[in-house]
Amino acid sequence: MEQRPTSSRPFAAGAEWWRQAVVYQIYPRSFADSDGDGLGDLRGILSRVPYLASLGIDAVWLSPFYPSALVDGGYDVDDYRDVNPQLGTLADFDELTAGLHANGMKVIVDIVPNHTSNRHAWFREALAAPKGSPARDRYVFRDGLGPDGAQPPSDWPSLFGGPAWTRVPDGQWYLHLFAAEQPDLNWANREVRDDFLTTLRFWSDRGVDGFRVDVAHGLAKNLAEPLEPLPATPDPGGSPLPPGTHPFWDRDEVHGIYAEWRQVFDQYDPPRIGVAEAWVHPSRRPRYASPSGLGQAFNFDLLEANWTCGELLRVITDNLADAQRHGTSTTWVLSNHDVVRHATRYGLPAGDHVSSTETAKAWLHSGGAAPGLDRRLGIRRARAATLLMLALPGSAYLYQGEELGLHEVADIPAELREDPAFRRSGGAETGRDGCRVPLPWTVGGPSFGFSAGPAHLPQPAWFGPLSVEAAERDPASTLALYRQALGWRRKLQGPESLEWMPGTNGQVLHFGRPGGWRSVTNFGPGAVPLPHGNVVLASSPLHEGLLPANTTAWIIPGS
Ligand code: NOJ
């Protein structure tokens, strides 16, 4: 049954390489450590280029590796045009880029335009400068409310808990939609805009192929005085806010910024690409993904969906229709560095009218105690979900460690937690450390081969049997499944279309791709017959020729 692909051919070349690319996200601090300090680094990644090549991915996305105090895992950037000395040097970056390119992989870097860190030269200058100065205008400084200005200038909250304003010694307040160490930039300021164009050119000139744009929907803000109060969250059944009217999320003016970025992207051959992290209503996503804007936007609908046939059918249908209407390709994501890993989400009972990520957050908050996690079911469904995702038209984003079948780590002691969301919310949010625990490369040894010493976040004992070393010895491992799936995808990939096939019902998703490639997923409790053809890959073994529950199979024409 498990035929291996016999040849590979590039299916994504030239300017459109990204449309159906498989992009593997590396969280540099937690991938591989070359110098034994417990923190992953660029030379660690370089040492694993053969592993990355063996996966069969098209591109690597590097989460931030810039100079940073790592208050928010590097999303607090001190200098956009350098490398954190703890993680390496610009020369290491160049070597890594060359190594990835030489092995046929593109390089996408993370760009964090909504906020700098509080250690950035501009912010230091702003603190030292007087009220109303040009240095302060690069950020959002305001006087406070109340007779002595002791109240924050508005009721805007930080996403990590507490108010979005922090007071400075001269009495003014500055805005930070995230941690206090992440002051928001003022994108109405021309110097800010120009400096980011310089940064885009800096990395593009070094050979970077594209940019993942952090909080892409947050840059444009309505800063007119008096600052608008936060709109009331609409009732679930009530009418949503009119589009583009929130004081800081998803305002129409943001697209003027990306139109300028596009001009820079298009000065390169092939044009550099952008992918927006924009948590917006699906109807608003196409503008970020437009060819005159960033070109692509993350679609997180799959990641939020519960493991039910109906939800996935709706998500797939809607997103493909949207992408087609707007001339882009859609992106599929099951896991990333901000959410509970999908092996764990799918091992938890689905809540009514609650996304899989919300259910998982509640589980995390209980320290992994409730609701009960069925680990085997979770990984079985995660494998089925991955095969389903990889058969869809469009690009797919994988997150480091999902190819090992890693579950979320729930039991990190409070004193070792690193996520500012945990600290700022006073523990009300457990945070995202559980999916950022350093990868296990070997069955044993200090930090399971991640580093010569202990890892910066504690790894559980169950990481050893899930290590790369263990997986490479097991032909049924999740790693083997990912490699085979990516090999077959490369061989079978064709035009970006999908046809729903007979047999799709409340329990089964069955679709065909050009050339006769079909994918069937069984969500129901019992085994179901498979359509005619050769099964080239299945996420779990077939049972007497039938497709068992929580399993996906790929089929190609044949006798
Ligand atoms: C989104 C990133 O994915 C997340 O990790 C980070 O904390 C926030 N943006 C703030 O930069």
Side-chain angles (χ1 to χ4, degrees):
M1 177 201 73
E2 285 200 351
Q3 298 175 25
R4 285 191 75 88
T6 49
S7 71
S8 64
R9 67 187 159 82
F11 57 86
E16 303 261 276
W17 67 266
W18 50 274
R19 292 191 70 97
Q20 300 208 75
V22 176
V23 182
Y24 180 89
Q25 180 190 357
I26 291 184
Y27 193 70
R29 297 185 305 145
S30 299
F31 188 70
D33 174 26
S34 71
D35 61 7
D37 67 355
L39 205 61
D41 49 39
L42 297 186
R43 296 207 77 79
I45 303 172
L46 185 62
S47 72
R48 301 294 177 179
V49 167
Y51 173 79
L52 295 167
S54 80
L55 294 175
I57 52 177
D58 300 294
V60 160
W61 149 29
L62 298 169
S63 279
F65 49 80
Y66 312 111
S68 167
L70 303 179
V71 168
D72 184 20
Y75 286 90
D76 45 320
V77 180
D78 299 349
D79 178 351
Y80 291 87
R81 302 195 278 272
D82 205 349
V83 172
N84 185 340
Q86 289 174 286
L87 270 62
T89 62
L90 278 171
D92 293 335
F93 178 84
D94 291 341
E95 215 179 309
L96 177 59
T97 303
L100 290 166
H101 283 165
N103 283 278
M105 289 170 278
K106 308 267 191 203
V107 181
I108 296 177
V109 298
D110 221 306
I111 192 105
V112 188
N114 182 66
H115 42 265
T116 67
S117 79
N118 59 345
R119 307 195 317 175
H120 191 285
W122 276 357
F123 194 69
R124 293 173 195 261
E125 202 186 320
L127 287 185
K131 271 167 79 163
S133 59
R136 287 213 171 171
D137 188 57
R138 296 183 189 121
Y139 293 89
V140 184
F141 279 84
R142 290 289 181 279
D143 291 330
L145 302 179
D148 51 2
Q151 304 297 319
S154 75
D155 63 350
W156 301 355
S158 152
L159 256 76
F160 289 158
W165 298 95
T166 289
R167 202 167 195 196
V168 300
D170 68 13
Q172 275 212 302
W173 299 72
Y174 68 88
L175 178 69
H176 53 87
L177 292 181
F178 294 88
E181 295 85 352
Q182 294 167 296
D184 279 44
L185 285 164
N186 170 17
W187 275 85
N189 179 305
R190 189 65 246 173
E191 197 187 349
V192 168
R193 291 171 82 122
D194 287 343
D195 195 70
F196 271 85
L197 299 179
T198 304
T199 295
L200 296 177
R201 285 193 202 95
F202 177 87
W203 294 108
S204 298
D205 290 344
R206 292 194 105 86
V208 153
D209 302 281
F211 300 88
R212 177 265 187 192
V213 184
D214 191 64
V215 202
H217 56 311
L219 277 51
K221 298 176 176 86
N222 180 9
L223 298 174
E225 304 280 350
L227 294 171
E228 264 184 76
L230 198 69
T233 313
D235 302 334
S239 43
L241 284 179
T245 59
H246 192 278
F248 46 86
W249 293 137
D250 191 28
R251 296 184 63 81
D252 291 340
E253 309 90 90
V254 81
H255 299 292
I257 298 169
Y258 301 131
E260 290 183 2
W261 289 25
R262 170 55 55 186
Q263 286 180 12
V264 173
F265 293 170
D266 287 350
Q267 282 159 12
Y268 292 85
D269 181 23
R272 297 330 189 210
I273 70 152
V275 55
E277 186 220 17
W279 293 87
V280 297
H281 189 271
S283 64
R284 304 277 294 170
R285 209 179 284 138
R287 291 195 70 186
Y288 294 86
S290 114
S292 57
L294 291 173
Q296 227 187 11
F298 282 124
N299 145 26
F300 294 121
D301 300 352
L302 190 60
L303 170 155
E304 298 204 304
N306 287 292
W307 180 250
T308 71
C309 193
E311 272 194 56
L312 293 191
L313 178 61
R314 179 185 51 76
V315 162
I316 295 168
T317 314
D318 290 357
N319 279 288
L320 289 179
D322 261 3
Q324 202 180 17
R325 241 194 329 272
H326 295 97
T328 183
S329 70
T330 193
T331 57
W332 304 109
V333 189
L334 286 166
S335 282
N336 66 27
H337 66 296
D338 287 332
V339 296
V340 170
R341 287 185 177 277
H342 67 285
T344 301
R345 297 202 310 271
Y346 294 152
L348 295 168
D352 283 342
H353 311 294
V354 185
S355 67
S356 79
T357 49
E358 283 306 312
T359 307
K361 269 168 108 175
W363 168 85
L364 204 52
H365 196 62
S366 75
L373 169 65
D374 184 335
R375 286 183 170 259
R376 285 185 58 189
L377 179 66
I379 186 62
R380 184 182 178 101
R381 287 177 169 171
R383 290 166 60 114
T386 299
L387 275 204
L388 187 163
M389 171 175 85
L390 291 176
L392 293 171
S395 67
Y397 282 75
L398 309 178
Y399 176 54
Q400 68 178 40
E402 66 171 80
E403 77 278 17
L404 303 177
L406 292 187
H407 270 283
E408 186 82 2
V409 181
D411 51 356
I412 301 174
E415 65 279 12
L416 298 180
R417 288 203 169 270
E418 297 173 356
D419 189 343
F422 177 70
R423 181 174 41 83
R424 281 192 63 91
S425 69
E429 286 282 335
T430 313
R432 303 156 294 176
D433 296 309
C435 62
R436 300 172 176 183
V437 174
L439 289 194
W441 293 92
T442 55
V443 175
S447 58
F448 301 108
F450 165 73
S451 172
H456 66 95
L457 278 170
Q459 299 157 301
W462 50 263
F463 260 34
L466 292 174
S467 62
V468 174
E469 184 186 19
E472 287 191 325
R473 287 192 205 130
D474 175 6
S477 68
T478 300
L479 179 59
L481 181 74
Y482 269 67
R483 285 180 172 150
Q484 287 167 8
L486 292 169
W488 275 109
R489 175 181 159 105
R490 188 171 285 270
K491 190 164 141 57
L492 300 174
Q493 190 61 282
E496 289 168 42
S497 61
L498 172 153
E499 186 188 355
W500 292 109
M501 307 295 280
T504 293
N505 55 33
Q507 302 205 331
V508 174
L509 283 189
H510 177 195
F511 57 85
R513 298 288 313 279
W517 174 20
R518 277 172 295 148
S519 173
V520 191
T521 304
N522 179 9
F523 295 79
V528 296
L530 280 161
H532 194 61
N534 282 341
V535 176
V536 295
L537 200 55
S539 59
S540 294
L542 301 186
H543 184 64
E544 294 172 355
L546 297 176
L547 184 69
N550 300 306
T551 306
T552 297
W554 287 359
I555 296 151
I556 60 172
S559 51

